[in-house]
Amino acid sequence: MTAFGFSRWAALAVALANTAPGQRHGDLLTTTGELAALLRAHDEPEPVDVGTKDLADALTARDAFSGIFEMAGDEAAIAERLNALLASTARPRLVSHAGVPLHLHVDAPGSSWGQWLAASGAMGLALLVAEHGATVLTRCAAQDCRDALLRTGSGPPRRFCSATCASRVRVAAHRQGRRGNPAAE
Ligand SMILES: [Zn+2]
């Protein structure tokens, strides 16, 4: 069960940023169906009805989040960008629906899915930055990946988005080391 609230919003911002075309995959967000699948994969309750405006706004939000993850822990720049995003999209309010207890909505009433992603994602990332510092927002250290990732959790700071990236880089470094030192064969 995914935690509801801001950690889920932050995870959605990361997932959205990582749909952008990169070295390892093309653009993963080109259709309304792909946006609906992304929302459902992060436990958005039905109805998840996605139209072309939702997709266009989601791509705008994606650009904003991608830029924030490029800032490599630059506190001032990250705060400025997140504040601008919050100012233009967020209007936090308590809401109750039939059968659902009082909870927080971050977006303005009537927002598109894309505007909801911008507002909720910006709030989720802002809360993480406030708790862990700006270096919580980073990118995978594998140069052929560079996916956005959150450095949360205990233990040494995460450098890679996945075990796959960590082991690929380790194997490459090992091969390189052996090439550089033939005596080690
Ligand atoms: Zn990676």
Side-chain angles (χ1 to χ4, degrees), residues 2 5 24 31 41 49 51 73 84 95-96 98 106 111 115 118 128 140 145-146 148 151 156 166 170 173 179 185:
T2 307
R24 295 170 67 75
T31 66
D49 294 324
V95 176
S96 65
V106 175
S111 288
Q115 291 165 325
L128 281 178
C140 179
C145 174
R146 306 295 294 155
R151 256 181 195 163
R170 201 179 311 118
R179 265 203 300 278
E185 286 290 338

Side-chain angles (χ1 to χ4, degrees), residues 6-7 10 13-14 65 68-69 71-83 86 120-138 149-152:
F6 79 85
S7 58
V14 171
F65 292 135
I68 288 165
F69 281 95
M71 291 172 173
D74 180 338
E75 263 186 33
I78 287 172
E80 192 184 328
R81 185 72 70 91
L82 282 176
N83 285 342
L86 288 169
S120 306
M123 184 65 87
L125 296 184
L127 287 163
L128 281 178
V129 165
E131 188 178 350
H132 301 280
T135 56
V136 73
L137 310 182
T138 188
L149 74 92
L150 300 172
R151 256 181 195 163
T152 51

Side-chain angles (χ1 to χ4, degrees), residues 11 14 34 68 93 96 116 131 133 144 157 164 167 182:
V14 171
E34 285 169 342
I68 288 165
R93 62 217 150 86
S96 65
W116 177 83
E131 188 178 350
D144 59 353
T164 315
S167 70

